[in-house]
Amino acid sequence: LNRWDQGYDESRDCDIANDDDGDKDDGNNIEPAVWIPTSNLFDDTSDSKIDKKKDWKHLHQCIREAFPFLRTEVPIKPNSLENRGAKEENGNVADESEIKNDTDAIMSGCNSIKFTKPWVCALIDRTLFPLAPYLYDPNVDLLELYKFRQRGPIPPNSSKLNASRGNNRGQRDQKRRRKDDRFQRNQTQQKQQQTIDCGENETIQTKKISSHEGFTVLRLRPELPRDRRRNVHKILSGGGSQRRDFETVTISNYPLNGGLDSQIDCNNNENATTTAIMVHWSNKALSSLQKKRKRKNDYDADANSSNKADESITATFCVLRKEQVEHQAAVQHIARALKCNQQDIGLAGIKDMQAITYQFCTLRSINIQRAERANHALTGKRIELSRFEEVYDFLLNRGNLIGNRFEVVLRNLKRIERMTSKTENGATVWKERTIPCVASHLDAMVKRVREFGFVNFYGEQRVGDAGHSSRVGVRSYDVGRAMLRQNFAQAIDLIMTGRSYGIYHPGDDEVKAREIWKTSGGNAKATLDAFPKSSSTMVRERDLMKGLVRYGDPLEAIQCVPRNVRMFWIHSYQSYVWNIVATERIKLWGLHAKIGDLYEVSSFEQDGTKSDNINVVEEPDAVSIYQVVLPLPGYNMKYPSNEIGALYNKILENDGVNLNEKCNIHEATAKGSYRKLIQKASNLKWEKVCECTSEGEDPVIDAVQLSFELESGCYATMLLRELMLTTMAREGKISAP
């Protein structure tokens, strides 16, 4: 193991390191492997106190920590290795050709070898070697990066946290979070100063770079062009793969003399600086750690409560209030006020802009005092943080939301009355008029929705304004459709075109910027110069133009927009397709389950978690309409086996979108899910908000407050649409179940 754990060797690893994409080699060169027997961990034993699984995990951990440049795998050991182990125990040395043949067979996936008990296979881990050409001193910085990765996602300053937890919690918080940004924290960790003798009694102080528990730093070559730094970020973020464990931050003017092994010209480079990349664990990696700890402590919370507290991820839990502020703009304002990354702000869902909304929020690695100070910077932006509490092992993410509680006031209520009259030729003509709304009528309408529910459509907030594109302009699903077609240039053009000015009333600067984009033929630099000075307007468009100016590629420009915004456009198109299919499904069969439909069956595991299984309807009478679901189109999805399944294919084919296979471009990939066709509200009730006039014993209601609760992903506007009786319902196109 020591012989192969030598780190990056330029003469040996230059070919792999020069691969900018970090691709694996073509398989022609078989990696040397060390086979470690583990039979002593798996011997049959009657001692129930021995935790074999824990011993096995600890063995892998010890190997990776002791030898950072090695990785361990668990392929099944071939029989020849079993025999070889017996030979070596007897003092016989295995033939080199025998070792090579077995190793080649394992690495190439040969099926001709009979496998028996598992061994541990240790190989050189070249995953991060492609970073070497970009680094000032790869021998030092790569070692620290590998050590940082092998330790795993450990919360920052956890050792200090453990030592000081107890009576001095307030002092510990004040000391541990004194610095507001990661660069300042990085500089405070470089404490081990050593001296290099430069001759003629001249010395300089250098700081040994060490990977802090929460981050590590990579110094780039001073002559590295700016456009090639993106390759470093790409390699560290996984090269476009689904797994993204690291997040990166660029640091300017970082001291170049950070490593003792570097070749330093003491006379000329005493104050030399370079650009550096700070690497820290992503929110996704920390959330994964949080879930693992939660599962581990579910059954023995009492026994492990102290350990859980000692090793927890610290965050501030609070309530976010916003009024007439768009979701992404609110996140950006909070990130600026806290001087943190947007990924550190955890929210379980997106709330409407046209409302006063309250939602829970977590602020990772931010103490209560710092969060309270942020309210001063948020003054005047109609955003407020309140009800602060320090929490451990709890970070909110998209998908954690259970439901929403709504309070909606309806004013100027009128009831629609339909009348019939006869024409001269005897034909019946329907006429409508408005009359005062009385309490009995309102109570009957609320009771109907409470009992039967409503069609679970996606609202205009998701798919865009209703109407023809010539009247309403560009909708969100138009952008998503262009992205799924991989026509990213068209997607950017649609975003810059925007909504119709007849519905949306922007400022003069915004109108001018969009007009320059149109008349200049898509000149990003000229358009960016014409943008409004306020950074809170045209947020997405500003990110797109900056990306086009910097990279020139439409896909890379779209990747400059926050990921949740990019995914919103994709989800918008999926929602648009779902709405069309749901409408046709109701027209065909009403509120009854049919053979070939999909329905959801919920079950609970032993640990209390809920799991949903999707089945095909075979006996319609045994399935309730409230169990029927429709798929949100995406890869690896099950579709109805009746006419509705064919409708999905027709819509996607007409739009030129293929969602059957997963695309290697995130911005052209749609992950599907299932959504109930009919949804019910919980605790639906109403009360008057002003004095009412009376018509006999039935008072007239002019304004009313509705309160109800909906599951996550359901839209209050769709409940109101059903409550107020749409034209479809008045014409009798939907029958009661």
Side-chain angles (χ1 to χ4, degrees):
L1 290 173
N2 276 316
R3 182 162 55 93
W4 284 329
D5 185 49
Q6 299 298 322
Y8 171 73
D9 185 347
E10 184 174 1
S11 61
R12 180 191 64 190
D13 302 313
C14 58
D15 292 337
I16 296 177
N18 287 326
D19 182 2
D20 288 350
D21 295 330
D23 298 331
K24 297 178 180 178
D25 72 357
D26 55 9
N28 294 327
N29 298 321
I30 301 299
E31 290 280 3
V34 179
W35 294 90
I36 306 170
T38 60
S39 57
N40 59 315
L41 294 179
F42 294 95
D43 286 340
D44 295 333
T45 177
S46 58
D47 189 353
S48 60
K49 296 182 180 180
I50 298 179
D51 189 345
K52 298 179 182 179
K53 183 176 180 180
K54 184 177 181 181
D55 287 346
W56 173 259
K57 182 178 179 181
H58 187 60
L59 172 63
H60 285 268
Q61 182 180 355
C62 288
I63 293 174
R64 289 194 290 262
E65 288 183 356
F67 308 100
F69 286 101
L70 299 183
R71 58 186 172 90
T72 57
E73 295 182 354
V74 194
I76 308 290
K77 177 189 64 64
N79 278 339
S80 55
L81 283 179
E82 179 90 22
N83 298 332
R84 188 185 313 146
K87 289 182 182 180
E88 292 175 353
E89 288 180 0
N90 296 328
N92 299 324
V93 180
D95 187 12
E96 289 293 333
S97 61
E98 182 184 358
I99 297 176
K100 184 179 186 305
N101 291 338
D102 283 338
T103 304
D104 291 0
I106 291 293
M107 303 308 296
S108 61
C110 179
N111 296 322
S112 60
I113 297 180
K114 181 180 178 181
F115 296 106
T116 56
K117 294 181 180 180
W119 283 34
V120 172
C121 179
L123 306 100
I124 299 175
D125 186 356
R126 302 179 186 273
T127 307
L128 300 175
F129 282 8
L131 292 171
Y134 308 101
L135 301 182
Y136 174 70
D137 193 343
N139 291 325
V140 174
D141 292 1
L142 273 181
L143 175 61
E144 296 300 329
L145 179 60
Y146 272 90
K147 288 181 179 179
F148 172 74
R149 191 183 68 163
Q150 300 293 24
R151 280 197 297 268
I154 302 174
N157 293 325
S158 62
S159 59
K160 295 181 181 180
L161 177 65
N162 297 342
S164 59
R165 184 176 300 279
N167 297 330
N168 60 343
R169 174 175 291 180
Q171 297 178 1
R172 178 257 315 179
D173 286 339
Q174 183 179 5
K175 181 179 180 180
R176 187 170 63 88
R177 301 188 181 103
R178 187 171 297 162
K179 300 301 181 181
D180 289 336
D181 55 62
R182 289 187 173 85
F183 176 53
Q184 289 173 326
R185 292 202 310 266
N186 175 52
Q187 288 185 323
T188 61
Q189 296 302 318
Q190 299 174 358
K191 296 178 180 179
Q192 297 180 354
Q193 294 189 351
Q194 300 187 21
T195 302
I196 295 180
D197 188 3
C198 298
E200 298 181 1
N201 298 324
E202 182 180 358
T203 62
I204 62 172
Q205 296 293 323
T206 63
K207 300 179 180 180
K208 177 68 175 178
I209 290 182
S210 61
S211 57
H212 178 257
E213 290 177 337
F215 57 88
T216 188
V217 177
L218 303 177
R219 296 162 300 159
L220 303 180
R221 295 182 182 274
E223 70 278 5
L224 186 69
R226 184 176 182 180
D227 57 346
R228 295 196 67 194
R229 293 183 206 157
R230 186 169 180 81
N231 293 335
V232 180
H233 292 280
K234 182 178 179 181
I235 295 170
L236 289 168
S237 63
S241 64
Q242 278 281 60
R243 185 174 181 84
R244 186 186 178 99
D245 286 340
F246 291 146
E247 291 176 0
T248 55
V249 178
T250 303
I251 304 175
S252 301
N253 300 323
Y254 191 84
L256 190 59
N257 55 349
L260 296 177
D261 298 330
S262 305
Q263 299 296 326
I264 301 176
D265 184 350
C266 300
N267 295 319
N268 299 325
N269 287 348
E270 182 175 357
N271 298 318
T273 61
T274 187
T275 301
I277 303 293
M278 184 173 69
V279 184
H280 61 94
W281 290 102
S282 66
N283 195 29
K284 181 178 180 180
L286 292 172
S287 298
S288 177
L289 174 66
Q290 170 188 343
K291 292 177 182 178
K292 290 180 181 179
R293 286 176 175 169
K294 185 177 183 300
R295 288 194 297 266
K296 179 181 178 182
N297 294 315
D298 273 343
Y299 297 102
D300 53 354
D302 294 337
N304 297 331
S305 58
S306 60
N307 293 334
K308 182 178 179 181
D310 287 344
E311 300 177 0
S312 60
I313 300 170
T314 59
T316 294
F317 181 79
C318 61
V319 174
L320 165 62
R321 179 191 186 275
K322 64 183 182 72
E323 178 180 356
Q324 299 287 310
V325 180
E326 194 265 337
H327 173 83
Q328 187 59 33
V331 172
Q332 290 184 343
H333 286 315
I334 296 172
R336 292 193 189 102
L338 292 170
K339 297 181 181 179
C340 68
N341 288 336
Q342 294 184 26
Q343 293 85 349
D344 295 330
I345 302 171
L347 297 169
I350 299 176
K351 298 294 177 282
D352 293 340
M353 174 181 176
Q354 305 295 337
I356 301 175
T357 65
Y358 296 82
Q359 62 188 123
F360 295 120
C361 175
T362 55
L363 308 173
R364 183 180 68 181
S365 300
I366 294 173
N367 61 7
I368 294 178
Q369 293 78 10
R370 182 175 164 189
E372 289 176 339
R373 290 196 300 268
N375 275 326
H376 297 292
L378 296 173
T379 303
K381 301 186 184 299
R382 294 174 292 188
I383 301 173
E384 182 184 2
L385 301 175
S386 61
R387 301 183 184 180
F388 302 100
E389 181 180 349
E390 190 175 42
V391 295
Y392 305 96
D393 278 339
F394 184 78
L395 295 175
L396 286 175
N397 289 287
R398 291 286 298 276
N400 295 145
L401 187 66
I402 298 175
N404 293 295
R405 180 179 296 112
F406 295 89
E407 292 182 358
V408 183
V409 176
L410 305 177
R411 306 183 189 277
N412 301 322
L413 293 178
K414 299 293 180 182
R415 176 184 174 186
I416 295 177
E417 183 179 63
R418 303 192 72 187
M419 302 177 298
T420 61
S421 61
K422 298 289 186 178
T423 62
E424 295 179 356
N425 58 5
T428 301
V429 177
W430 291 91
K431 293 184 178 180
E432 294 181 348
R433 67 171 184 173
T434 58
I435 60 175
C437 179
V438 294
S440 60
H441 175 74
L442 178 61
D443 195 58
M445 302 302 288
V446 171
K447 182 179 179 181
R448 177 180 61 84
V449 175
R450 184 190 298 125
E451 182 177 354
F452 298 119
F454 60 96
V455 184
N456 197 18
F457 289 119
Y458 287 94
E460 294 182 2
Q461 308 96 305
R462 174 66 72 92
V463 297
D465 298 311
H468 195 270
S469 58
S470 60
R471 185 181 70 86
V472 301
V474 176
R475 276 78 59 94
S476 300
Y477 76 81
D478 294 320
V479 179
R481 177 166 50 195
M483 292 173 61
L484 290 171
R485 290 172 176 169
Q486 300 190 30
N487 192 341
F488 302 108
Q490 181 189 22
I492 293 177
D493 187 66
L494 289 169
I495 296 168
M496 293 305 301
T497 300
R499 292 183 287 173
S500 171
Y501 297 154
I503 296 178
Y504 172 63
H505 305 286
D508 294 338
D509 290 342
E510 182 174 342
V511 174
K512 179 182 176 182
R514 295 189 187 277
E515 188 64 25
I516 289 178
W517 169 264
K518 182 178 179 180
T519 57
S520 65
N523 188 323
K525 182 66 169 63
T527 305
L528 187 61
D529 292 340
F531 267 40
K533 294 182 179 179
S534 174
S535 59
S536 61
T537 58
M538 302 186 73
V539 176
R540 302 176 181 87
E541 293 86 346
R542 196 183 302 271
D543 291 338
L544 286 173
M545 293 301 101
K546 289 181 179 179
L548 279 178
V549 170
R550 182 173 184 179
Y551 303 113
D553 178 61
L555 173 58
E556 292 188 295
I558 286 182
Q559 290 172 341
C560 293
V561 178
R563 184 179 183 277
N564 61 330
V565 177
R566 305 196 305 265
M567 293 301 102
F568 177 83
W569 289 322
I570 300 288
H571 297 161
S572 179
Y573 176 75
Q574 294 175 285
S575 306
Y576 160 75
V577 174
W578 193 98
N579 280 0
I580 294 177
V581 173
T583 301
E584 295 302 319
R585 168 63 179 76
I586 293 294
K587 287 181 179 180
L588 282 175
W589 301 309
L591 303 180
H592 302 280
K594 290 295 181 180
I595 295 177
D597 279 340
L598 302 179
Y599 70 100
E600 181 181 75
V601 178
S602 299
S603 60
F604 291 89
E605 305 294 340
Q606 293 182 354
D607 58 358
T609 58
K610 180 182 177 182
S611 61
D612 297 324
N613 299 317
I614 304 300
N615 301 322
V616 179
V617 174
E618 296 179 354
E619 299 180 5
D621 295 338
V623 178
S624 168
I625 188 62
Y626 303 107
Q627 293 178 274
V628 174
V629 297
L630 289 177
L632 203 65
Y635 61 89
N636 293 337
M637 294 297 295
K638 181 189 296 184
Y639 291 92
S641 58
N642 48 34
E643 292 92 328
I644 298 302
L647 181 59
Y648 275 101
N649 293 330
K650 181 179 179 181
I651 295 173
L652 296 175
E653 183 178 348
N654 291 340
D655 285 344
V657 175
N658 180 16
L659 299 180
N660 294 327
E661 297 181 359
K662 183 178 178 181
C663 181
N664 57 0
I665 302 176
H666 289 303
E667 290 71 23
T669 302
K671 182 180 180 180
S673 61
Y674 298 94
R675 182 178 178 88
K676 290 183 179 179
L677 178 62
I678 304 296
Q679 183 68 48
K680 285 186 176 182
S682 303
N683 301 322
L684 174 59
K685 55 186 178 181
W686 67 274
E687 60 181 7
K688 62 183 182 181
V689 295
C690 63
E691 293 296 328
C692 304
T693 59
S694 299
E695 283 192 3
E697 297 180 355
D698 204 357
V700 174
I701 305 296
D702 182 65
V704 63
Q705 176 176 294
L706 292 173
S707 60
F708 52 92
E709 297 173 3
L710 294 175
E711 294 181 6
S712 63
C714 299
Y715 288 81
T717 50
M718 296 298 101
L719 181 146
L720 297 176
R721 176 179 182 271
E722 185 70 28
L723 177 68
M724 296 179 180
L725 284 179
T726 65
T727 302
M728 180 185 293
R730 291 203 300 272
E731 292 178 356
K733 293 184 178 179
I734 298 181
S735 59

